[in-house]
Amino acid sequence: MGISSVPSFSKTRKLPCIFTLTLMLLCLTILLFTKTNTSSPLLFYSDGQTSNPITAPYLEAGAVSDGATIVSVTLNWELCTGWGAVDYIPCLDNFKVIRALKTRRHMERRERHCPEQSSRCLPPLPKGYKVPVPWPKSKDMIWYDNVPHPKLVEYKKDQNWVKMSDDYLIFPGGGTQFKEGVNHYTDFIEKTLPVIEWGRHVRVVLDVGCGVASFGGYLLDRNVITMSFAPKDEHEAQIQFALERGIPATLSVIGTQRLTFPDNAYDLIHCARCRVHWDADGGKPLLELNRILRPGGFFIWSATPVYRDDERDKRVWKSMVALTRSMCWDVVAKTVDSTGIGLVIYRKPISFVRYFKRKENKPPICGPKDRKNSSWYVPLSTCVTLPPRSSWPLPWPNRLTSKPPSLATNPEAEEMFYKDTIHWSALVSDAYVNNAAINWSSVRNVMDMNAGYGGFAAALTDQLLWVMNVVPVHVPDTLSVIFDRGLIGIYHDWCESLNTYPRTYDLLHSSFLFENLSQRCDMIDVVVEMDRILRPGGYLVVQDTMEMISKMRPILHSLHWSTALHKDQFLFGKKGFWRPGRGSSKS
């Protein structure tokens, strides 16, 4: 091609070049607009540092995210050390206080004894820790390395609770009282008293002294949500087994203080040889069950005094008869199944009138001071809590969205409840479930740290997960509403450690929790507790002000969490496998 042909070549290419450049600019503009105005999948951000200590940017109190003054705070993380460090629970493992207790008659050693100063050490991972077996496979088998406690296998080898098989712990669904399996046992209960109607009439259950929680685990298939509880280490790590399996459970004991549940909460309470002396101290343990059992609710006692005739069992049974009669409980069934295991089913009165017709006011009716619906560090009482004038909730699943009986006399709160339900249904669908930042197929154990009316949990009922609804002690008490809806929950003070093992939840959620909380305790301590109870690979979702999010984010980065911000009000976090001095690779 000659020199004279160059100008004509330029002319022929000029317009296409301009068109192409314009098109590229237009595409780039559309792309930028889309990225800033749509809820596209979030990318987690991490500071990428692995050294220790870590200096993290930290916003001063009262600062805002735009143009805020940044200060540096050195966070020097260390591993917890000593015996039991892998399973460290600060308020249950305060051995200095426990050793100094003057008495152990009432299980005081298993109750909460929080350290005066919060511990900021991080529990190490068990050697060989792996991503947990997913639900529903986890109901039957879990990794041994994740909960390496073999004593229960040996101790209960003849009762079909748990067995070892290669790298797994296997749960056959047996138990001391379940000789033909849990399904046979729960069928037997319903045939004995059909009005129980698992999953419709009876939805919310408490299993006292639950073992490895197979009773509650198998009832999940019947739309029954069971809060299983037992004290720490009565049988080695049984609650840890339950939570690793993906079954709702918490560490607790009926000792000297009330259980952290509201009055009139549970539809049914179950005890299969749970080794509780119900008549102790004037019947305080059974009176506590009466407090939290819904009027018209059931107590199933499957224990040797029901069906054995030796002198000791006869004495216990005689005492139980006298105590339950004084509480106006009715025996609605007493029977023995084909395996020789017997049970008795009691029913709590629906009306308070019966208590005033007793020949003796013993135990006495609780006074106004004892009737306060609060159970955070409250001593057990020796009085009868009167049932409220409210009806049984609608059958499940209608009770989830219908008017809660506990709001029957409060029209304003009822309106707030309905608005809250609509709000969370839309928000969970838009910002959470359809957000690619969370792999929901890996989420089973969920905790809502500031549950309100339980709207977040209600919006997730179609998912293969369960939610522990926490009502903080410093906010309005809504826990009765949560139980009315057919959900479970507890009271807690987030300035203290939670009664659960490390690595027991897959997702933590909080909505506007931290502004009031930060006035009472240091956010760093709360984040350390969140890091303790969340499993490696687990998620955090925080809805809060940008001020609170900006304070929390650098703390999470110092712990090597990945984070992402959504719509300037949602902080998504993901915990890795990092521990101080261990690097970030999986074990």
Side-chain angles (χ1 to χ4, degrees):
M1 184 179 295
I3 295 176
S4 61
S5 65
V6 172
S8 61
F9 176 83
S10 177
K11 287 179 182 179
T12 58
R13 295 292 188 269
K14 189 173 184 179
L15 288 176
C17 286
I18 293 172
F19 176 78
T20 302
L21 182 61
T22 303
L23 186 62
M24 289 176 65
L25 288 171
L26 181 62
C27 290
L28 181 61
T29 302
I30 293 172
L31 180 63
L32 289 172
F33 180 83
T34 302
K35 290 179 78 66
T36 57
N37 289 277
T38 65
S39 55
S40 55
L42 295 179
L43 296 176
F44 281 118
Y45 164 80
S46 176
D47 64 359
Q49 300 181 46
T50 57
S51 60
N52 194 56
I54 293 170
T55 299
Y58 193 70
L59 285 177
E60 290 181 330
V64 294
S65 57
D66 295 328
T69 303
I70 303 295
V71 298
S72 292
V73 175
T74 300
L75 301 174
N76 189 10
W77 300 118
E78 296 179 351
L79 287 176
C80 301
T81 58
W83 181 86
V86 168
D87 295 329
Y88 179 53
I89 305 172
C91 289
L92 296 182
D93 292 337
N94 191 351
F95 299 117
K96 181 179 179 181
V97 171
I98 292 171
R99 283 192 291 266
L101 290 173
K102 295 179 180 179
T103 176
R104 297 192 172 195
R105 287 184 56 205
H106 306 294
M107 299 289 284
E108 290 93 340
R109 67 190 185 282
R110 303 299 186 202
E111 294 183 318
R112 294 174 62 82
H113 303 283
C114 296
E116 291 183 8
Q117 192 168 17
S118 297
S119 170
R120 290 186 179 177
C121 69
L122 308 179
L125 295 179
K127 185 178 180 180
Y129 183 87
K130 306 173 183 66
V131 173
V133 175
W135 182 267
K137 189 177 179 182
S138 63
K139 184 173 77 172
D140 302 317
M141 59 193 303
I142 61 175
W143 294 113
Y144 170 77
D145 284 343
N146 287 14
V147 193
H149 299 293
K151 289 183 181 178
L152 191 62
V153 178
E154 179 63 24
Y155 184 69
K156 295 290 184 181
K157 63 183 178 182
D158 298 325
Q159 297 176 17
N160 221 24
W161 278 29
V162 56
K163 298 179 178 179
M164 281 286 298
S165 178
D166 298 324
D167 295 331
Y168 296 96
L169 291 165
I170 307 295
F171 301 89
T176 312
Q177 303 294 92
F178 318 143
K179 291 186 177 181
E180 293 186 11
V182 181
N183 283 330
H184 170 84
Y185 179 76
T186 53
D187 284 342
F188 170 62
I189 290 172
E190 194 171 40
K191 288 176 183 176
T192 300
L193 194 66
V195 72
I196 284 176
E197 200 176 358
W198 296 122
R200 272 183 57 80
H201 185 68
V202 168
R203 159 68 183 176
V204 187
V205 171
L206 180 69
D207 190 17
V208 182
C210 61
V212 294
S214 289
F215 178 77
Y218 279 79
L219 279 176
L220 288 166
D221 295 334
R222 302 184 181 219
N223 285 325
V224 174
I225 184 82
T226 303
M227 178 81 81
S228 299
F229 86 85
K232 185 182 179 186
D233 293 339
E234 280 305 294
H235 292 313
E236 187 185 35
Q238 53 190 337
I239 293 300
Q240 195 174 18
F241 285 146
L243 288 162
E244 186 72 14
R245 295 174 72 185
I247 299 171
T250 187
L251 287 161
S252 194
V253 62
I254 304 177
T256 68
Q257 297 171 350
R258 287 183 176 183
L259 299 170
T260 55
F261 310 123
D263 298 352
N264 310 300
Y266 286 97
D267 304 339
L268 183 147
I269 300 176
H270 172 259
C271 159
R273 296 188 72 175
C274 53
R275 297 169 61 187
V276 177
H277 299 293
W278 296 114
D279 60 338
D281 298 314
K284 281 184 180 180
L286 199 64
L287 286 165
E288 175 63 0
L289 292 197
N290 181 73
R291 180 186 72 82
I292 63 175
L293 184 62
R294 187 179 296 281
F298 306 96
F299 174 53
I300 298 178
W301 191 38
S302 174
T304 55
V306 178
Y307 56 92
R308 288 186 183 173
D309 293 327
D310 60 78
E311 288 304 313
R312 178 188 173 279
D313 286 325
K314 282 182 178 180
R315 287 196 304 271
V316 173
W317 174 251
K318 186 177 179 180
S319 177
M320 192 70 166
V321 168
L323 180 58
T324 52
R325 282 179 180 171
S326 72
M327 294 164 53
C328 298
W329 283 15
D330 297 312
V331 175
V332 290
K334 185 173 183 287
T335 187
V336 178
D337 77 352
S338 58
T339 66
I341 299 296
L343 56 82
V344 60
I345 304 177
Y346 299 95
R347 190 172 195 180
K348 179 179 174 178
I350 296 173
S351 172
F352 63 88
V353 175
R354 288 184 57 187
Y355 293 97
F356 293 102
K357 293 182 177 180
R358 294 179 300 169
K359 292 181 179 179
E360 291 185 84
N361 187 30
K362 186 180 178 181
I365 295 170
C366 295
K369 188 176 181 181
D370 295 304
R371 291 176 195 167
K372 186 180 179 182
N373 192 13
S374 174
S375 55
W376 186 248
Y377 292 123
V378 177
L380 291 179
S381 60
T382 54
C383 58
V384 176
T385 304
L386 291 181
R389 300 182 182 184
S390 62
S391 59
W392 192 275
L394 292 177
W396 179 265
N398 294 338
R399 70 189 281 180
L400 184 67
T401 53
S402 64
K403 180 173 73 174
S406 55
L407 295 182
T409 59
N410 192 337
E412 285 188 17
E414 182 184 340
E415 184 179 356
M416 289 175 58
F417 165 77
Y418 285 122
K419 288 181 178 178
D420 184 77
T421 300
I422 295 169
H423 165 77
W424 279 107
S425 179
L427 183 59
V428 166
S429 175
D430 175 53
Y432 298 165
V433 173
N434 295 326
N435 200 310
I438 297 175
N439 175 16
W440 287 95
S441 65
S442 67
V443 173
R444 173 63 186 170
N445 302 353
V446 177
M447 176 168 285
D448 191 353
M449 299 172 65
N450 187 22
Y453 289 122
F456 173 74
L460 288 171
T461 51
D462 291 335
Q463 304 288 324
L464 291 177
L465 53 80
W466 61 273
V467 180
M468 180 72 83
N469 294 281
V470 179
V471 173
V473 295
H474 66 282
V475 305
D477 184 0
T478 53
L479 196 50
S480 292
V481 174
I482 288 169
F483 277 92
D484 282 349
R485 302 187 76 170
L487 306 170
I488 58 172
I490 54 174
Y491 296 111
H492 184 59
D493 184 348
W494 284 110
C495 291
E496 298 181 3
S497 167
L498 190 75
N499 277 12
T500 194
Y501 286 92
R503 306 171 300 278
T504 47
Y505 284 88
D506 302 309
L507 186 145
L508 303 179
H509 170 261
S510 80
S511 179
F512 298 103
L513 167 68
F514 291 95
E515 184 172 2
N516 290 331
L517 190 63
S518 62
Q519 297 172 14
R520 302 173 55 245
C521 51
D522 196 322
M523 181 183 283
I524 295 175
D525 295 322
V526 183
V527 174
V528 168
E529 178 63 4
M530 291 157 60
D531 181 84
R532 187 185 72 85
I533 66 179
L534 192 67
R535 289 171 172 170
Y539 299 95
L540 170 69
V541 182
V542 174
Q543 181 187 20
D544 221 302
T545 64
M546 276 305 301
E547 178 187 354
M548 292 297 110
I549 288 173
S550 297
K551 288 181 177 182
M552 181 180 292
R553 203 174 187 187
I555 307 173
L556 294 173
H557 287 166
S558 76
L559 290 163
H560 296 263
W561 287 38
S562 303
T563 64
L565 192 62
H566 182 56
K567 294 185 178 180
D568 288 336
Q569 62 171 316
F570 299 99
L571 175 65
F572 287 77
K574 186 174 183 180
K575 177 183 172 181
F577 280 70
W578 177 84
R579 294 284 90 173
R582 295 273 183 101
S584 58
S585 61
K586 296 180 182 180
S587 300

